[in-house]
Amino acid sequence: MEDGKVVDGSIWIYAPNKGAPVFFAVAFLATGAAHAWQATHYKSWKLTGLYALCGALFAAGFTVRELGAFDYTKLIFYIVSSCLVYFAPPIYELCNYYMLGRILYFVPYYSPIHPGRVLTTFAAISTVVETLNGLGVSYESNRSLPEDIQQTGQSLLKASLILQLIVVTLFVILAATFHMKCRRNGINHVKVNQALLTLYISSAIILVRCIYRTVEFFGFTSIDPASPNLSPIIRYEWFFYVFEATLMFCNSVLLNIRHPRRWLPGSNKVYLAKDGVTEIMGPGYKQERNVIATLFDPFDVIGMIKGRDQATRFWDETNDVALRKVEVDPASQTISRQANETV
């Protein structure tokens, strides 16, 4: 692994490290178990349950990689490990989409898009990404397939990675647009700021990982491991452990430490009043359009033309706000005060 030379008979190209997979399998199992506990503690399985699944996928992937380190000629270990490790990062992206949706529910009047459509629109794209990922990695990692099929797998993975780069960039732009709109209109609530900060950091980590994977696969000039044109990113294993394993582990730990439910309310019907202080239990958004219309017109341009969006502005109702105020948990208040000192 250190000299970058191709190891004869190795499916992995190099001789895989035997210690690193053990460390990361245990590390991801621990952070995944912590996420499972937090989801139970905060009663947020719907919002954060997928974090635990990602930890389990990575733990399983590195466990199989450890088996492959002791028998690096066995193709099945390479295929299974590659598939498990590739499936998890897009799920982290999906979790971020859900998180932004919940943030937009909390400040609905400055949301550039219906909060529920963030999940449906970006989740639909994630489904395409996962499909391309699954097909691509299964073709590319199976060295027993004909070379043209392996190249097809690489092309699918490249398409998947480019799509991820575009989607993550658009997603961050959407979040930043919302954030700037809040600031311009005097909304500087600690829960909004802290939740968005977590989102930005997580998205940045995922973006760096996507760039690494994109460079890796565009550096694949040949399927033949003995080719002198193989990129150093492919020949040296440390690139994988730094830009895939470590980055994704940091992302998972980040979400342990800065768990979304520390900032976001348990119900998406709770929103922040325009005074920027009061939290109100409202009626919530009503879904008046079918799934197909939502996917193809996430911004509801037709609704804007017809004035349908005016009918959903429940935050402009003149009902007695005092009767609908939400009681804030003392623990949450403590967290908010501590965070306010650092914002």
Side-chain angles (χ1 to χ4, degrees), residues 91-330:
I91 297 178
Y92 277 129
E93 286 184 59
L94 179 62
C95 293
N96 282 348
Y97 304 154
Y98 199 5
M99 192 195 310
L100 178 59
R102 292 299 294 271
I103 296 171
L104 299 184
Y105 274 119
F106 189 55
V107 191
Y109 36 88
Y110 295 136
S111 173
I113 184 175
H114 186 302
R117 291 170 200 146
V118 173
L119 183 61
T120 55
T121 302
F122 284 97
I125 299 173
S126 288
T127 301
V128 175
V129 170
E130 282 287 16
T131 301
L132 293 174
N133 255 338
L135 292 173
V137 76
S138 62
Y139 290 163
E140 185 276 333
S141 62
N142 192 344
R143 301 293 168 78
S144 66
L145 292 174
E147 184 172 327
D148 61 331
I149 295 181
Q150 291 184 57
Q151 288 177 338
T152 299
Q154 286 184 22
S155 298
L156 290 173
L157 280 171
K158 289 175 182 178
S160 169
L161 290 165
I162 291 173
L163 185 58
Q164 285 183 62
L165 288 172
I166 294 172
V167 172
V168 171
T169 302
L170 292 176
F171 175 73
V172 172
I173 291 173
L174 178 66
T177 300
F178 163 75
H179 199 183
M180 289 188 292
K181 195 171 183 180
C182 287
R183 287 299 184 95
R184 284 199 303 267
N185 289 277
I187 299 297
N188 192 29
H189 198 281
V190 62
K191 292 185 177 181
V192 176
N193 293 337
Q194 292 297 323
L196 283 171
L197 178 60
T198 303
L199 191 69
Y200 292 146
I201 298 173
S202 178
S203 296
I205 291 173
I206 292 172
L207 184 61
V208 172
R209 179 260 175 193
C210 285
I211 293 173
Y212 153 67
R213 284 298 192 180
T214 303
V215 172
E216 177 190 31
F217 279 98
F218 274 91
F220 239 136
T221 56
S222 173
I223 300 296
D224 181 9
S227 170
N229 297 322
L230 277 179
S231 167
I233 294 179
I234 299 165
R235 289 187 287 110
Y236 289 92
E237 190 179 19
W238 70 264
F239 282 101
F240 167 78
Y241 280 111
V242 171
F243 293 104
E244 177 76 42
T246 301
L247 282 180
M248 290 299 96
F249 177 65
C250 288
N251 185 64
S252 188
V253 172
L254 165 74
L255 296 167
N256 282 130
I257 297 172
R258 299 181 60 85
H259 195 274
R261 274 289 284 115
R262 290 184 62 190
W263 324 113
L264 300 176
S267 171
N268 59 18
K269 292 184 178 181
V270 176
Y271 70 95
L272 187 67
K274 288 189 175 181
D275 62 8
V277 178
T278 310
E279 293 181 30
I280 301 172
M281 176 64 79
Y285 273 102
K286 295 180 181 179
Q287 184 56 270
E288 299 177 346
R289 301 194 302 156
N290 58 48
V291 176
I292 301 299
T294 298
L295 287 175
F296 285 95
D297 183 17
F299 289 89
D300 195 13
V301 175
I302 296 176
M304 294 178 188
I305 296 173
K306 294 182 176 180
R308 181 170 58 223
D309 63 318
Q310 299 295 328
T312 62
R313 296 174 179 269
F314 54 84
W315 51 85
D316 286 335
E317 294 177 1
T318 57
N319 296 337
D320 186 1
V321 170
L323 295 177
R324 294 183 287 134
K325 286 183 180 179
V326 176
E327 292 186 7
V328 180
D329 179 50

